[in-house]
Amino acid sequence: MSRTLCSALPATRTRTGSVTVEGWIHRRRQLATVTFVVIRDRSGLAQVVVTDPLVREQVSTLPEETVVRVTGTPIGSEKAPGGVEIIDPTVQPLTAPSEPPPIELWRPGLGVTLPTALDHAAITWRHPTRQAVWKIAAASMTGFRRHLDSAGFTEVTTPKIVGQSTESGANVFPLDYFGATAYLAQSPQLYKQILTGVFERVYEVGPVFRAEPHDTARHLAEYVSLDVEFGFIRDHRDVLAQLRDALAAMVDTINEKAGAAVETVGAQLPSIPEQIPIIHFREAIELVGAAPTEPDLTPEHERFLGAWAKSRFDSDFLAVEGYPAAKRPFYTHPQPSDPRWTNSFDLLFRGLELVTGGQRLHNHADYLAALAARGEDPAEYAPYLEAMRHGMPPHGGFAIGLERWVARLTEADNIRQATLFPRDLHRLRP
Amino acid sequence: MSRTLCSALPATRTRTGSVTVEGWIHRRRQLATVTFVVIRDRSGLAQVVVTDPLVREQVSTLPEETVVRVTGTPIGSEKAPGGVEIIDPTVQPLTAPSEPPPIELWRPGLGVTLPTALDHAAITWRHPTRQAVWKIAAASMTGFRRHLDSAGFTEVTTPKIVGQSTESGANVFPLDYFGATAYLAQSPQLYKQILTGVFERVYEVGPVFRAEPHDTARHLAEYVSLDVEFGFIRDHRDVLAQLRDALAAMVDTINEKAGAAVETVGAQLPSIPEQIPIIHFREAIELVGAAPTEPDLTPEHERFLGAWAKSRFDSDFLAVEGYPAAKRPFYTHPQPSDPRWTNSFDLLFRGLELVTGGQRLHNHADYLAALAARGEDPAEYAPYLEAMRHGMPPHGGFAIGLERWVARLTEADNIRQATLFPRDLHRLRP
């Protein structure tokens, strides 16, 4: 008999005959004359009611997390999930009985500390509240690609083993590459720019690596970067508009594909304004009451600005444009009217920096000047500069950190909760 | 004036007034009284006819690959691409004039050796025949995800920095991880199995790393793996059926999104049979005339079998199932009727191994026995074995090497031609 997913059980009410579900024994409750078994599959939960003494005895040997096939009769029941439960079942274990798991997955919450949850990630991700977090992440990736595919972007994959560090020598992981020294890519920045010279519009969803020596709630040594770069722009505001549309598609796709997950974790999805409000860095510094010479915003400043955007524009998002050139990478395009500032932005989401983006330099001579000003050797950037030497359109782009986005959406205390198998200063396993 | 893509020019024929295109100067031909300029953008080519002496003089200072905006009048022309050319143009350089590129991109072929093409990848990918190869790759990834999204799979991202090598200690890149030794993941195998215990059905598109000491036309040190794993299967033939559907979606999406690219490179897309023909390893060895004790197929054997499948079944694909246990990883499920063989397969595509897949062990005790038989320490696999200890469904999966697939489709001599920035024994740049 073909398998019915738990979520499809209500649709079986009008049929006669039996159904088969397959999944994990999520919870057993053995009462005096009846045993309730809750089955968990990828779609949700279903309740099975066992009264036959022989089947009850069999089920008593099958601990939670045993994988089973259950065939029985679906009937309406007000108390069961979806209004349908299965009675008169036969139960077939598909795997040898499980050992009781280290975490009681049937409880509403995990009830363990973060380190314990991470140590047992192979099991804790089975918990419905954990699964829901990742389903929001997966839908975010799908939505990101949907927008870019529809906007004429080409997906690219760039090397993660690179011969030079992307932007500076700091915080890179070196590795032995057949006797030479190579590095793990900190971002696809240089490659995505090169490829803008090929396909005009490119995106990549892939891992990036930062040898972050900080043990904080918001840093990971490896994370997923949603990268975009495209040409024939006027300035960074075209980049911000594209980012706006990508975020809108991500939220729409979360609603469409992970609506139940959003409910499970109680996430408040943002509405994305048609125009994301923009404030210049200079004005932002004034607004938060910092010294005009301050070169960057602190997390406290960002929180303040987030609250300000919410009350002033009813927006969860605020773009801060014009960051000082000194705090931006060498490839950042200056603000034409005043080169102390740049055509770049940070996007704050609920008072936290979510995205960095902007316009890049596109003239070869400007690259040589920018590298010289920082005392960097152009030879280190030879293939990148070759692209610039032979005609690059005005271009720009941005990168969204997937885990940071999901952590903020789900109000996770720690970014590790939004990562399937986080990597940090102390954690290499699982 | 808003931009018109070159491919959309034919649709402008019925309009009056002018159009603006933006792109690269692909080719200039300066004749006695007229200069022809071919513009290349992400959609294709457009011809611009310059007769005004001042504009001709301007264009003479703009070498090939200079990025320009051209505004002019579209008129029908039988000789122009798409049947439309632009006359009476004004030309605005968007970037300082390019230096002439190291490769004449306007010629029909690259006309350089592979090492030269790879050294200048930043430029050579701009060639229409090269772009076409990657567009087939990008459409393949889109099609792969389309099928899996529609079949209830969850996209996952697994760590590329791992605390243990995936299957054996050979051919891994070690790296210094905050003072500890870590490795680059050779595959997401162990993680995708763990996650089958969470989401039942998972896939990942991501980089994998092999410290291949071989300098051949078919090995890369880093490549893109299209990974699938799913639970509640009967055996490896369910895996093969899922693979068949994924390949069909990939071919459909190439046709839909990259039809012009297929024409450009002259690729012959395969038709995917409803049922991929299957031969048992034992019979395959007999068919190729090798000794019955032979533990593996050679490339010559695979070519022979590919030709056999073509003539016998008119199929570009042949699945060889039942590979000897000794040649398969420890997690491979034995063939129930005879454990010398396994429930695994290789898929040959036009006589070349394209995919390895199969059913995995799912009982914890079977893992302990399999590791013991190979003298491996179960402690090395603790988080993986934890998933198995607490209830795993019968499951299996496969992995397609993106570059190998594209190289075979486009009949590339060398897999490096199907990789944006290949990594091999000698190549770390660009």
Side-chain angles (χ1 to χ4, degrees):
Chain A
M1 172 174 297
S2 78
R3 177 186 180 195
T4 300
L5 289 178
C6 291
S7 62
L9 265 189
T12 65
R13 287 172 78 165
T14 54
R15 289 200 324 225
T16 53
S18 63
V19 294
T20 295
V21 297
E22 296 177 347
W24 288 260
I25 295 183
H26 187 60
R27 173 73 164 131
R28 287 179 312 177
R29 279 189 302 140
Q30 311 188 43
L31 306 185
T33 58
V34 62
T35 299
F36 292 100
V37 179
V38 177
I39 301 294
R40 185 186 75 242
D41 70 13
R42 69 175 187 269
S43 73
L45 305 175
Q47 179 162 283
V48 179
V49 183
V50 190
T51 48
D52 182 317
L54 285 175
V55 180
R56 291 188 71 202
E57 195 181 321
Q58 180 201 15
V59 166
S60 74
T61 67
L62 303 176
E64 268 98 12
E65 295 307 299
T66 300
V67 177
V68 293
R69 174 181 294 137
V70 174
T71 300
T73 306
I75 60 157
S77 160
E78 285 183 7
K79 279 177 270 176
V84 174
E85 63 189 14
I86 295 173
I87 60 169
D88 299 333
T90 60
V91 176
Q92 176 191 354
L94 296 178
T95 305
S98 162
E99 289 177 46
I103 288 147
E104 291 182 310
L105 292 168
W106 53 269
R107 291 191 185 275
L110 277 182
V112 293
T113 63
L114 181 61
T116 301
L118 298 178
D119 286 345
H120 298 286
I123 304 305
T124 45
W125 277 108
R126 297 184 185 181
H127 193 278
T129 61
R130 301 293 295 135
Q131 284 196 35
V133 169
W134 186 257
K135 283 177 180 167
I136 290 171
S140 297
M141 291 190 279
T142 303
F144 176 79
R145 293 194 196 95
R146 271 189 194 173
H147 166 65
L148 295 162
D149 287 341
S150 74
F153 282 73
T154 298
E155 181 175 3
V156 298
T157 63
T158 66
K160 304 311 160 200
I161 300 177
V162 295
Q164 86 220 66
S165 62
T166 309
E167 292 164 28
S168 69
N171 295 0
V172 291
F173 289 109
L175 75 146
D176 177 347
Y177 188 78
F178 303 117
T181 299
Y183 305 92
L184 291 184
Q186 292 172 295
S187 90
Q189 182 64 32
L190 308 188
Y191 291 101
K192 70 180 182 172
Q193 287 188 256
I194 288 173
L195 292 167
T196 297
V198 176
F199 302 108
E200 286 189 27
R201 308 185 141 208
V202 298
Y203 72 87
E204 177 168 18
V205 176
V208 298
F209 307 90
R210 307 277 167 106
E212 288 283 356
H214 313 296
D215 195 8
T216 78
R218 56 190 270 189
H219 287 100
L220 293 167
E222 175 178 351
Y223 67 89
V224 175
S225 185
L226 310 180
D227 264 279
V228 164
E229 196 79 11
F230 63 112
F232 299 100
I233 63 171
R234 277 163 311 182
D235 59 26
H236 61 291
R237 291 201 172 190
D238 284 350
V239 178
L240 182 61
Q242 197 72 251
L243 168 58
R244 185 258 159 223
D245 291 349
L247 289 170
M250 289 162 73
V251 169
D252 285 351
T253 308
I254 293 169
N255 267 317
E256 178 198 321
K257 294 193 56 167
V262 169
E263 270 186 53
T264 298
V265 299
Q268 296 295 319
L269 296 185
S271 62
I272 316 279
E274 277 301 319
Q275 300 275 344
I276 289 176
I278 302 172
I279 186 172
H280 195 279
F281 181 84
R282 191 177 7 83
E283 293 157 11
I285 281 290
E286 198 177 314
L287 197 65
V288 301
T293 53
E294 198 63 49
D296 209 349
L297 297 169
T298 64
E300 290 71 29
H301 293 156
E302 293 178 353
R303 276 195 290 280
F304 179 92
L305 291 165
W308 176 78
K310 189 68 184 172
S311 71
R312 180 88 152 72
F313 304 105
D314 192 28
S315 170
D316 286 322
F317 295 92
L318 177 69
V320 181
E321 69 177 4
Y323 273 76
K327 296 298 281 186
R328 293 305 219 199
F330 70 87
Y331 48 74
T332 309
H333 198 290
Q335 181 178 313
S337 61
D338 184 343
R340 284 174 303 171
W341 312 112
T342 60
N343 272 3
S344 73
F345 62 82
D346 274 8
L347 182 70
L348 308 185
F349 172 44
R350 294 177 179 160
L352 190 79
E353 181 223 313
L354 176 68
V355 187
T356 295
Q359 184 181 1
R360 329 298 186 184
L361 299 173
H362 55 276
N363 282 310
H364 185 239
D366 293 339
Y367 275 91
L368 296 182
L371 287 170
R374 305 204 181 204
E376 292 222 51
D377 179 4
E380 281 292 304
Y381 295 90
Y384 176 63
L385 294 178
E386 184 175 47
M388 305 302 163
R389 190 187 302 122
H390 301 299
M392 281 294 287
H395 66 283
F398 60 83
I400 308 172
L402 176 66
E403 295 82 352
R404 192 173 279 198
W405 161 250
V406 174
R408 198 69 184 145
L409 272 186
T410 59
E411 294 179 21
D413 301 326
N414 194 305
I415 197 164
R416 290 162 184 76
Q417 292 170 302
T419 315
L420 286 172
F421 302 101
R423 292 290 175 262
D424 63 28
L425 203 49
H426 308 294
R427 186 170 290 277
L428 256 176
R429 299 174 182 224
Chain B
M1 174 175 294
S2 78
R3 177 186 180 195
T4 300
L5 288 178
C6 292
S7 62
L9 266 187
T12 66
R13 288 171 78 165
T14 55
R15 289 201 324 224
T16 55
S18 63
V19 294
T20 295
V21 297
E22 296 176 347
W24 288 260
I25 294 182
H26 187 60
R27 174 73 164 131
R28 286 179 314 179
R29 278 188 306 139
Q30 311 188 41
L31 307 184
T33 59
V34 62
T35 299
F36 293 99
V37 179
V38 177
I39 302 294
R40 185 187 75 241
D41 70 12
R42 71 174 186 267
S43 74
L45 304 174
Q47 179 161 283
V48 179
V49 183
V50 189
T51 50
D52 181 319
L54 286 175
V55 180
R56 290 187 71 203
E57 196 182 322
Q58 180 200 17
V59 166
S60 75
T61 67
L62 302 177
E64 269 101 10
E65 293 309 297
T66 299
V67 177
V68 293
R69 173 183 293 138
V70 174
T71 299
T73 306
I75 62 157
S77 161
E78 284 183 9
K79 279 178 270 176
V84 174
E85 63 190 12
I86 294 173
I87 60 169
D88 299 333
T90 59
V91 176
Q92 176 192 354
L94 296 177
T95 304
S98 164
E99 290 177 46
I103 289 147
E104 291 183 311
L105 293 169
W106 53 269
R107 291 192 184 277
L110 277 181
V112 293
T113 63
L114 182 60
T116 301
L118 297 178
D119 286 345
H120 298 285
I123 305 304
T124 45
W125 276 109
R126 297 184 185 181
H127 194 278
T129 61
R130 302 293 295 135
Q131 284 194 35
V133 170
W134 187 256
K135 282 176 181 168
I136 290 171
S140 298
M141 290 190 279
T142 303
F144 176 77
R145 292 194 196 95
R146 272 189 192 172
H147 166 65
L148 295 163
D149 286 341
S150 75
F153 282 74
T154 299
E155 181 176 2
V156 297
T157 65
T158 65
K160 304 311 161 200
I161 300 177
V162 295
Q164 86 220 66
S165 63
T166 307
E167 291 164 30
S168 70
N171 293 3
V172 292
F173 289 109
L175 75 146
D176 178 346
Y177 188 78
F178 303 117
T181 299
Y183 306 92
L184 291 183
Q186 291 172 296
S187 90
Q189 182 63 35
L190 309 190
Y191 291 102
K192 70 179 182 173
Q193 287 188 256
I194 288 173
L195 291 167
T196 298
V198 176
F199 301 109
E200 287 187 27
R201 309 185 140 207
V202 298
Y203 72 87
E204 178 169 17
V205 176
V208 297
F209 306 91
R210 307 277 167 105
E212 288 283 355
H214 313 295
D215 196 8
T216 79
R218 58 190 270 190
H219 286 99
L220 293 168
E222 175 178 350
Y223 67 89
V224 176
S225 184
L226 310 180
D227 264 279
V228 164
E229 196 79 13
F230 63 112
F232 299 99
I233 64 172
R234 277 163 310 182
D235 58 28
H236 61 290
R237 292 201 172 189
D238 283 348
V239 178
L240 182 62
Q242 197 71 253
L243 168 59
R244 183 258 159 224
D245 291 349
L247 288 169
M250 289 162 72
V251 169
D252 286 350
T253 308
I254 293 169
N255 268 316
E256 179 199 320
K257 294 194 57 166
V262 169
E263 270 186 52
T264 299
V265 299
Q268 297 293 319
L269 296 186
S271 63
I272 316 279
E274 279 299 317
Q275 300 275 345
I276 290 176
I278 302 172
I279 186 172
H280 195 279
F281 181 85
R282 192 178 4 86
E283 292 157 11
I285 281 290
E286 198 177 314
L287 198 64
V288 301
T293 54
E294 198 63 49
D296 209 348
L297 297 169
T298 65
E300 290 70 30
H301 292 156
E302 293 178 353
R303 278 195 288 279
F304 179 91
L305 290 166
W308 176 77
K310 189 69 186 170
S311 71
R312 179 86 151 75
F313 305 106
D314 192 27
S315 170
D316 286 321
F317 296 90
L318 177 68
V320 182
E321 69 178 4
Y323 274 77
K327 295 299 281 185
R328 291 307 217 198
F330 69 87
Y331 48 74
T332 309
H333 198 289
Q335 180 177 314
S337 60
D338 183 344
R340 283 174 304 171
W341 311 111
T342 61
N343 271 3
S344 73
F345 61 82
D346 273 9
L347 182 70
L348 307 185
F349 172 44
R350 294 175 180 162
L352 190 79
E353 182 224 313
L354 176 68
V355 187
T356 294
Q359 182 180 4
R360 329 298 186 185
L361 299 173
H362 54 276
N363 283 310
H364 185 238
D366 292 339
Y367 275 90
L368 296 183
L371 288 170
R374 302 202 183 206
E376 291 223 52
D377 179 3
E380 280 292 304
Y381 295 89
Y384 177 62
L385 294 178
E386 183 175 48
M388 306 302 164
R389 190 186 303 123
H390 301 298
M392 281 293 286
H395 65 282
F398 60 83
I400 308 172
L402 175 66
E403 294 83 353
R404 191 173 279 197
W405 162 249
V406 174
R408 198 70 184 145
L409 271 187
T410 59
E411 293 178 23
D413 301 327
N414 193 305
I415 197 164
R416 290 162 184 77
Q417 293 170 300
T419 314
L420 286 172
F421 302 101
R423 293 289 175 263
D424 62 28
L425 203 49
H426 308 294
R427 187 169 290 276
L428 256 175
R429 299 173 182 228

